[in-house]
Amino acid sequence: MSGTGSPQPLTEHAYTRLKWRMLLAAMFCYFFFYTGRQTFGFAIPGIEEDLGLSKATLGAISGILLWSYAAGQMINGNLADKWGGRRMMSAGAILSTLLNWCTSFSVGAKSLALFWGANGFAQSFGWPSGGRVISTWWSHNERGRSFGFYTFAAGMASVLAFVTSTIVVDTLDLDWQWIFRVPVLLMLVGGITFYLVARDSPAKAGVTPPASHAPSAEEAAEDAAAAAGGENSLQRYKAVLRNPRIWSAGIAIGFQNAARYGLLIWVPVYFLGEDWKKADTGVSPLWISVALPVGMAAGALVNGQISDRLFGARRDRPIILFMVVGALMAMTMYAAPLGTTTGIVLLFLTGFFVYGPQSSFWALCPDIAGKRMAGTATGVVNCFAYLFAGAAEPLIGGLMDSTGDTSLIFPIVAGACACSALTALTIRR
């Protein structure tokens, strides 16, 4: 595979191998990305004790990362369209590793907020860049499947972040600083590997797709018009932001992501509470919490598949279905008496339905905006997602401080899921 010379026409079998190679490369890299940003909840108890910061303050710092990530999505999705996802994703992994280490040396709220916020911007290099690469190699009718696998990797990244953090604080009994030092080394490996293996497009790989994977006449005309007109960043932003379905998708995923991060940040705090510490479950409560990201990963894989196979590439329907059931699961988690087994099962199902729709959301972005603006559209939609999640975090932290009841995270999540389902009714795609 070479980036020079005349493009080589490929057989169906050869091209299929290449497109899977690109998808697996993106999945491998993103599998490690959350070790750089979803470990914060495990560090909260140690930071509270060591630095004397309240949950409201730590919720605000968590929100700063999410807001920084949101701003970065708006910028870096477009840059992925301009410069290519391969370089952007790898650079983000390397930079985020360095900033996690800086975070581990924080001595107070200001330094913690500075480094963790900067890390949010570095993390934003990853998702739209990988999505950009995938959208150039996989056709429209396969996007639910390909983005389902990509989102599955993100879900498994949450599992890895939870497991490695649990090992650091529970099995190895290390201080909170090591949560930001050890797991992220895996992300560094992923970023370097992606750069060596991936190529931004078939053209960059020096190949020509077979006829079955050639762009549609509409896509080819759009690409030709964009190339002839010298389409710039501003024009891409205008085209994406003028589409009302992008706004509907952005608001819907905003509520969904607020629910998702509410679970990811505060479920570990819930299971580190006094009730679970005193409970004789025979297993560490933190290991019970791993059921959450495992369910998320499974939900992402299933949702992407059914959006293609069951709903004929209609993305709004699986989004609405999963959000409604996710709200019901979260309320059951809040209301039902929980033992070890019921806690694991319900937490798995809550993660499954709350996170699953992300597959359909990301497949929806190139569906709406086209392949040439896939990075910009993904970045804009993801900006909405993290603006909402960032706004929710300090509010949740303040509620935890004022009530002392960490189980309130579950009705909050249920409400966010219901709002997402209602907004998704307006997408109609």
Side-chain angles (χ1 to χ4, degrees):
M1 187 170 63
S2 172
T4 61
S6 300
Q8 307 166 9
L10 292 183
T11 64
E12 184 76 28
H13 177 70
Y15 184 80
T16 297
R17 289 183 61 186
L18 271 184
K19 73 178 183 180
W20 273 103
R21 177 177 170 179
M22 301 310 154
L23 174 58
L24 291 172
M27 290 173 63
F28 180 80
C29 184
Y30 213 77
F31 175 58
F32 301 119
F33 246 79
Y34 288 172
T35 61
R37 81 169 184 268
Q38 285 189 2
T39 55
F40 194 74
F42 290 87
I44 284 177
I47 296 173
E48 279 186 292
E49 182 178 352
D50 192 18
L51 302 184
L53 303 179
S54 68
K55 285 184 175 66
T57 299
L58 292 170
I61 291 171
S62 176
I64 287 171
L65 174 135
L66 298 174
W67 287 323
S68 176
Y69 187 90
Q73 287 291 310
M74 184 67 77
I75 297 168
N76 294 321
N78 178 65
L79 292 180
D81 286 334
K82 184 175 182 179
W83 292 340
R86 176 186 175 217
R87 285 184 291 179
M88 290 286 292
M89 194 173 195
S90 299
I94 295 168
L95 184 58
S96 179
T97 301
L98 295 173
L99 287 167
N100 264 267
W101 273 75
C102 291
T103 300
S104 74
F105 292 102
S106 298
V107 295
K110 290 182 180 179
S111 56
L112 192 63
L114 174 64
F115 291 127
W116 198 236
N119 178 53
F121 187 83
Q123 280 275 313
S124 71
F125 285 35
W127 185 256
S129 301
R132 166 68 179 175
V133 170
I134 293 168
S135 67
T136 61
W137 284 91
W138 290 74
S139 65
H140 163 72
N141 292 330
E142 300 174 308
R143 283 185 189 141
R145 183 185 187 192
S146 58
F147 277 92
F149 277 103
Y150 187 38
T151 313
F152 171 74
M156 291 304 297
S158 294
V159 177
L160 184 67
F162 270 52
V163 168
T164 53
S165 297
T166 298
I167 290 172
V168 168
V169 301
D170 187 68
T171 305
L172 300 179
D173 197 25
L174 297 176
D175 293 333
W176 63 268
Q177 289 90 343
W178 290 97
I179 291 175
F180 301 107
R181 296 173 184 170
V182 176
V184 293
L185 298 178
L186 297 170
M187 179 172 57
L188 182 62
V189 172
I192 294 171
T193 302
F194 183 73
Y195 186 82
L196 295 175
V197 173
R199 296 294 182 270
D200 285 305
S201 66
K204 291 289 187 181
V207 300
T208 299
S212 60
H213 288 80
S216 66
E218 182 181 356
E219 287 178 327
E222 288 177 354
D223 290 342
E231 184 180 68
N232 58 34
S233 296
L234 182 59
Q235 289 171 323
R236 284 194 293 271
Y237 279 124
K238 285 182 177 179
V240 168
L241 290 171
R242 284 173 179 166
N243 194 317
R245 284 183 299 186
I246 287 289
W247 286 84
S248 294
I251 295 171
I253 200 175
F255 285 116
Q256 183 271 338
N257 211 42
R260 171 197 176 198
Y261 266 88
L263 292 171
L264 288 170
I265 298 298
W266 298 104
V267 159
V269 179
Y270 169 70
F271 279 104
L272 282 168
E274 291 301 319
D275 290 341
W276 280 96
K277 284 181 180 178
K278 293 175 183 177
D280 185 16
T281 62
V283 62
S284 168
L286 281 179
W287 285 108
I288 297 174
S289 72
V290 173
L292 173 70
V294 172
M296 288 181 170
L301 191 59
V302 171
N303 188 275
Q305 295 280 349
I306 68 172
S307 74
D308 281 344
R309 298 185 180 186
L310 186 60
F311 294 106
R314 279 287 301 268
R315 316 298 181 192
D316 54 334
R317 292 175 179 176
I319 290 171
I320 295 166
L321 173 63
F322 272 52
M323 285 289 88
V324 170
V325 180
L328 295 174
M329 290 297 103
M331 286 307 301
T332 304
M333 189 79 192
Y334 176 70
L338 298 181
T340 301
T341 302
T342 54
I344 291 173
V345 172
L346 283 173
L347 202 55
F348 175 91
L349 290 173
T350 302
F352 183 96
F353 288 105
V354 169
Y355 183 64
Q358 289 241 337
S359 296
S360 291
F361 277 118
W362 303 129
L364 189 64
C365 292
D367 283 356
I368 293 174
K371 288 194 297 185
R372 81 180 194 280
M373 292 189 291
T376 303
T378 301
V380 168
V381 170
N382 218 8
C383 178
F384 277 95
Y386 282 86
L387 284 174
F388 278 59
E393 283 304 293
L395 297 176
I396 295 171
L399 184 64
M400 301 295 183
D401 277 335
S402 63
T403 64
D405 185 2
T406 56
S407 69
L408 289 176
I409 186 58
F410 298 111
I412 292 171
V413 165
C417 287
C419 291
S420 178
L422 289 172
T423 308
L425 290 170
T426 66
I427 297 174
R428 300 187 184 281
R429 173 70 182 187

